[in-house]
Amino acid sequence: MPITRRQALQLGMLGGLGVVVGGVGLSQTGLPWLAPSTSSAGAGGESLVEPEVVRSRDGVLRVELVATRRETTIAGQRARVLTYNGTVPGQTWRVQPGDRIEVRLRNELDTPTNLHTHGLAVSPRDNGDNPFVSIDPGQVFDYRFDLPEDHPPGVSWYHPHRHGTVADQLFGGLYGALIVEGDRVPVSRERVLVVSDISLTGDGQIVPVAAPEVMMGREGNLVLVNGQHRPQLSARPGQRERWRVINACTSRYLRLALPGQHLELLGIDTGRELTPREVQEVLLAPGNRADLLVSMRAGSSELRTLGYDRGGMGMMGGGGLSGPGTLATLAVTGAEAAAPGPVPDRLAVPDLREKSVAGRREIAFTMTMGSMMGPGRGMMDPGFDGRAFDADRIDQRVSVGGVEEWLITNPTPMDHPFHLHVWPMQLVETGGQPVREVTRRDVVNVPARGRVRVLVDFARHPGRSVYHCHILDHEDAGMMASVEVG
């Protein structure tokens, strides 16, 4: 009899204390079909290919989305992975505020699935962004997402969210970019960079998750950008590019840097900077996105992740290093290009601190010690406030129309990224220190044994949805809870 993800987590605690996941960094080949002596350049080297773009027309984006297992090319090798419409990643959807997105999702997998438009502030009811929908193999479901006229521009994405299968399906290849346009920045070009990871066998099959990896949250041995291993980018000096970067990894944190180039941050998730802010590095927890400006300087550069220690559940609390490595290479050559025009300032974002607080809550990530006595019990039960997810239970009841203050605590020895569907959050305190700028997020990293304080805007979109850890093996194992707004 197959074990559940929760049982795998419990077994992992018995047999995998102190296991290091990804702790040696990204393999310079990362590919089981390459000999260890093969040069790292030989593992990549292809020019970056961006996903096909589908744009809304006359206020509607209409797509048919087929989730299926298919053979495709990953890092120069034929591999049998999960795809949307036969590609990894899926198409990039581009829409405007006020648009409608209509998706006919056809499930040709052998497990149930559904669809989450991560980052969109849309209704969670019925055939909207409803995480409780379950589409069985062979079934078709019609989604409709109506964006408000004042929906903020930014980088969102879409992926499955059927509880119990989320991590496997995302890790297998089901994800795509979703860009809400509406702000104009003069640039030479835009790029969409979807960063993901996967583990493949020598014959191109997806490596199944092991129990210790569920405990920690799996990190693949092969990190991809738009489904490619270490692709090459090229540009001319003086050009300014806009990079939309999505962390679509199941558990891996990305600490992005591009040494030798001038990097400015426009925003993270759908949060916007008032003016572009020069940065040396940007930390993206799983599910986070970055909107970046890159002003090109002559020479060769590498887009790197610098490594991040996210803690762990070992005896000493270690073992969770998201290792460093090269994601892509950049060659800036040729004649100097004319500089694009100045970047306009953004409109001020409403500050939720100016509104009265309708309620306060404290929510805690928990990985509680269970008894070894009795069926279905093990050493670790992940959840919130000591309870694992139950689809039939309402964990938080909220009145529509108000702003609430949520204190999110993490007494565990590892970081957990907190994601709330549908309703926007404003980060107001982290590490006991106030956050001065208006900082909007839909994924907020809560450090090990730390806490953050957010304001949540429940002005609209009544209905029922969820919040959860975006280390998706944890979410599938029970680290999720429901909230009903009405």
Side-chain angles (χ1 to χ4, degrees):
M1 179 181 297
I3 63 173
T4 65
R5 191 171 300 276
R6 174 173 298 283
Q7 290 167 334
L9 183 68
Q10 295 162 353
L11 290 171
M13 283 305 302
L14 292 173
L17 291 175
V19 172
V20 175
V21 179
V24 295
L26 305 186
S27 167
Q28 288 304 294
T29 64
L31 311 176
W33 50 85
L34 293 179
S37 61
T38 303
S39 72
S40 60
E46 298 178 339
S47 295
L48 178 75
V49 177
E50 295 194 45
E52 177 188 4
V53 175
V54 182
R55 296 180 181 273
S56 61
R57 298 180 60 182
D58 300 323
V60 179
L61 185 145
R62 187 174 291 111
V63 295
E64 180 165 359
L65 195 64
V66 180
T68 187
R69 187 180 298 272
R70 181 171 294 184
E71 186 174 284
T72 187
T73 301
I74 299 290
Q77 167 76 7
R78 299 304 290 176
R80 191 162 178 80
V81 296
L82 307 185
T83 68
Y84 281 136
N85 295 350
T87 64
V88 177
Q91 298 163 319
T92 295
W93 301 346
R94 286 185 173 267
V95 297
Q96 301 285 336
D99 280 353
R100 170 177 294 174
I101 303 174
E102 296 179 355
V103 181
R104 171 159 288 184
L105 177 57
R106 187 180 305 275
N107 183 9
E108 294 184 358
L109 307 172
D110 56 7
T111 55
T113 192
N114 64 11
L115 188 66
H116 171 43
T117 51
H118 183 136
L120 294 192
V122 294
S123 173
R125 287 179 166 171
D126 303 323
N127 60 344
D129 191 34
N130 185 346
F132 301 99
V133 167
S134 182
I135 306 167
D136 288 335
Q139 288 189 338
V140 174
F141 188 84
D142 290 324
Y143 281 97
R144 190 184 78 189
F145 310 98
D146 291 312
L147 279 67
E149 294 286 346
D150 60 351
H151 196 289
V155 190
S156 297
W157 60 305
Y158 59 92
H159 62 82
H161 210 285
R162 202 282 191 176
H163 180 60
T165 65
V166 182
D168 286 343
Q169 292 182 1
L170 188 82
F171 191 71
L174 296 182
Y175 43 80
L178 201 172
I179 310 298
V180 181
E181 299 178 326
D183 56 349
R184 296 186 181 276
V185 178
V187 294
S188 306
R189 67 171 298 168
E190 281 199 23
R191 299 184 192 265
V192 171
L193 307 177
V194 184
V195 183
S196 62
D197 58 2
I198 195 171
S199 294
L200 297 172
T201 64
D203 61 354
Q205 302 296 319
I206 302 168
V207 176
V209 65
E213 293 179 295
V214 176
M215 175 186 69
M216 287 299 308
R218 77 188 84 177
E219 294 192 7
N221 60 16
L222 177 61
V223 180
L224 308 174
V225 179
N226 292 353
Q228 299 171 271
H229 180 62
R230 297 188 65 187
Q232 294 182 345
L233 294 76
S234 60
R236 289 169 55 195
Q239 290 183 327
R240 179 199 291 144
E241 296 190 353
R242 186 175 189 175
W243 290 10
R244 318 269 200 160
V245 185
I246 298 169
N247 184 355
C249 298
T250 305
S251 307
R252 184 185 300 274
Y253 283 64
L254 300 173
R255 191 155 65 96
L256 300 175
L258 190 61
Q261 303 300 329
H262 185 251
L263 206 59
E264 295 176 287
L265 181 66
L266 291 175
I268 290 181
D269 297 349
T270 55
R272 321 307 294 158
E273 301 285 325
L274 287 177
T275 58
R277 177 164 58 89
E278 183 176 355
V279 292
Q280 300 301 313
E281 60 184 63
V282 177
L283 177 65
L284 298 182
N288 276 142
R289 293 86 62 206
D291 196 348
L292 298 167
L293 289 180
V294 184
S295 297
M296 299 297 174
R297 297 168 173 168
S300 298
S301 302
E302 291 185 341
L303 176 63
R304 297 185 57 80
T305 178
L306 302 179
Y308 181 78
D309 185 359
R310 57 189 179 92
M313 297 304 297
M315 295 295 288
M316 302 303 293
L321 177 66
S322 290
T326 299
L327 304 178
T329 60
L330 171 66
V332 182
T333 60
E336 186 84 13
V343 178
D345 291 346
R346 307 290 177 101
L347 295 175
V349 178
D351 191 342
L352 296 181
R353 289 170 293 195
E354 297 173 356
K355 298 185 177 183
S356 60
V357 173
R360 290 180 170 84
R361 301 169 195 262
E362 183 172 340
I363 294 169
F365 289 95
T366 50
M367 301 186 85
T368 59
M369 299 302 292
S371 168
M372 289 305 295
M373 305 298 293
R377 296 297 295 172
M379 289 191 66
M380 278 292 175
D381 285 326
F384 282 97
D385 303 315
R387 300 191 297 183
F389 177 66
D390 182 347
D392 295 325
R393 186 184 67 229
I394 303 297
D395 296 287
Q396 311 290 341
R397 296 185 184 274
V398 177
S399 296
V400 69
V403 171
E404 290 203 351
E405 180 184 277
W406 287 15
L407 177 65
I408 306 163
T409 64
N410 177 14
T412 80
M414 66 185 301
D415 287 21
H416 293 288
F418 180 88
H419 175 44
L420 174 64
H421 289 206
V422 175
W423 299 285
M425 295 185 289
Q426 179 177 332
L427 182 63
V428 295
E429 180 186 303
T430 183
Q433 300 299 314
V435 177
R436 303 295 183 186
E437 302 296 327
V438 178
T439 303
R440 295 290 184 96
R441 298 287 185 272
D442 55 62
V443 176
V444 175
N445 190 52
V446 188
R449 300 185 178 91
R451 67 182 200 176
V452 302
R453 196 181 304 272
V454 299
L455 296 175
V456 186
D457 188 0
F458 293 106
R460 51 191 169 189
H461 303 311
R464 184 179 178 220
S465 196
V466 294
Y467 54 88
H468 61 89
C469 177
H470 219 282
I471 295 174
L472 295 176
D473 285 302
H474 292 175
E475 181 269 310
D476 278 335
M479 194 170 272
M480 184 162 72
S482 65
V483 53
E484 184 166 322
V485 178

